[in-house]
Amino acid sequence: MSQDFVKLKFDDGIAIITISRPASLNALNSSVLAELDSAIAEVRESPAARALIITGEGSKAFVAGADIGEMADLTPDEAVAFSRRGQAVFSAIEHLPIPTIAAVNGYALGGGCELALACDIRISSENARFGQPEVGLGIIPGFGGTVRLPLAIGRSRAAYMILTGKLVSAKEAHEMGLVAEVVPLESLPSRAEELARELGAKSYVAVAYAKRMLFPDDEALAREARRFGQCFESGHPKEGMSAFLERRPAKFSD
Ligand code: COA
């Protein structure tokens, strides 16, 4: 498969995946998801890889979410399948036996926040902003956010983020425990690599078992996908996403 949007490189035992679709703020469309899936498979099959870093291209966005243009016309069944697809790719990241670090270099919204949550540890640049803005689009987080966000920061803070859709700064995300460290943007790659080497030097047997103890409940992910699909039984996703693409406020009247 050609890797137009997802770059994978190996550097002395560290695998680095960069999501690279900057014109759309690295939003996850089907091609990006497929390429990410194949990059993860390559990492899984690389015996020399001791840690993985996932980051975004540029200085503006880590990943600004699932591709809104691609989601606008989904039927409820297609929406469930879309959610399950994203969940499967993110679970593949989570299930890697090696430690994973999200190096969040800008907006991590919707599917971007969920991608960061699928990694074991998040560090971010000072300009990063996190959010689950889906309710403003007429949908719910569908790539694991309703399950992993409360596990990461607790139900109360997760409810605040998911129900208001508000973005939080890197500083606030750090205070909430969503990110472990905040560093200047120019230091993010080197700090991520330093941390990856630190984690990669631990017992990989113990790390793999420790990670497994932290996996979320599969049934909760299945419930999320069903609820994500149910949103599309109403006209709200169409209105919310058209409004975003037309750069106008959404009106959820029916
Ligand atoms: N899906 C598809 N395209 C997206 C996108 C997404 N999630 N996020 C951004 N883009 C596109 C924009 O449509 C725009 O494309 P265009 O130049 O062809 O019009 C381009 O990326 C730049 O985004 P823009 O909105 O112009 O940048 P901004 O600096 O004004 O705002 C954000 C940045 C991140 C605040 C804004 O893009 C945003 O709110 N994105 C959607 C976030 C979201 O709701 N994600 C959850 C999806 S489930």
Side-chain angles (χ1 to χ4, degrees):
M1 170 188 288
S2 70
Q3 293 289 115
D4 297 323
F5 303 119
V6 176
K7 316 286 179 213
L8 169 62
K9 70 171 187 179
F10 292 94
D11 179 7
D12 192 22
I14 307 300
I16 303 174
I17 286 179
T18 306
I19 314 286
S20 180
R21 196 183 167 221
S24 298
L25 304 187
N26 303 329
L28 303 171
N29 65 11
S30 310
S31 305
V32 180
L33 276 178
E35 289 184 23
L36 182 57
D37 200 28
S38 121
I40 298 302
E42 198 176 331
V43 173
R44 193 171 43 240
E45 282 146 27
S46 304
R50 284 285 173 268
L52 167 68
I53 296 168
I54 300 183
T55 194
E57 183 83 46
S59 56
K60 186 165 176 185
F62 172 69
V63 165
D67 192 292
I68 293 171
E70 242 185 36
M71 283 188 293
D73 293 319
L74 295 178
T75 65
D77 285 347
E78 288 168 345
V80 174
F82 182 75
S83 167
R84 291 306 267 168
R85 176 84 190 114
Q87 287 182 350
V89 177
F90 288 9
S91 289
I93 295 170
E94 189 167 58
H95 288 210
L96 283 171
I98 57 174
T100 56
I101 299 167
V104 179
N105 55 306
Y107 287 113
L109 307 182
C113 192
E114 292 169 298
L115 173 60
L117 284 163
C119 295
D120 299 316
I121 294 174
R122 287 151 292 287
I123 65 172
S124 87
S125 54
E126 289 159 342
N127 66 320
R129 298 189 80 195
F130 295 79
Q132 297 288 166
E134 287 88 346
V135 287
L137 297 168
I139 57 174
I140 64 169
F143 288 176
T146 65
V147 181
R148 293 193 182 96
L149 190 62
L151 288 175
I153 61 173
R155 184 183 186 280
S156 169
R157 291 179 173 120
Y160 178 79
M161 285 185 70
I162 291 173
L163 300 183
T164 67
K166 275 190 186 162
L167 310 196
V168 299
S169 66
K171 185 170 175 286
E172 289 167 316
H174 185 242
E175 284 161 7
M176 288 178 173
L178 182 52
V179 291
E181 293 178 23
V182 180
V183 298
L185 181 62
E186 60 276 14
S187 315
L188 186 64
S190 58
R191 178 59 194 137
E193 285 177 39
E194 187 181 38
L195 188 57
R197 284 184 206 295
E198 194 184 317
L199 297 172
K202 304 291 182 203
S203 154
Y204 60 84
V205 173
V207 165
Y209 283 126
K211 283 189 53 157
R212 276 196 216 175
M213 301 310 297
L214 303 172
F215 290 169
D217 176 5
D218 282 342
E219 178 45 36
L221 290 170
R223 273 202 308 278
E224 177 187 80
R226 287 198 294 274
R227 298 293 182 219
F228 183 83
Q230 282 173 338
C231 293
F232 287 77
E233 290 169 7
S234 78
H236 288 197
K238 178 103 188 136
E239 165 57 14
M241 294 185 208
S242 304
F244 173 79
L245 296 170
E246 292 159 15
R247 297 180 183 266
R248 62 171 173 83
K251 262 183 82 179
F252 299 112
S253 46
D254 58 339

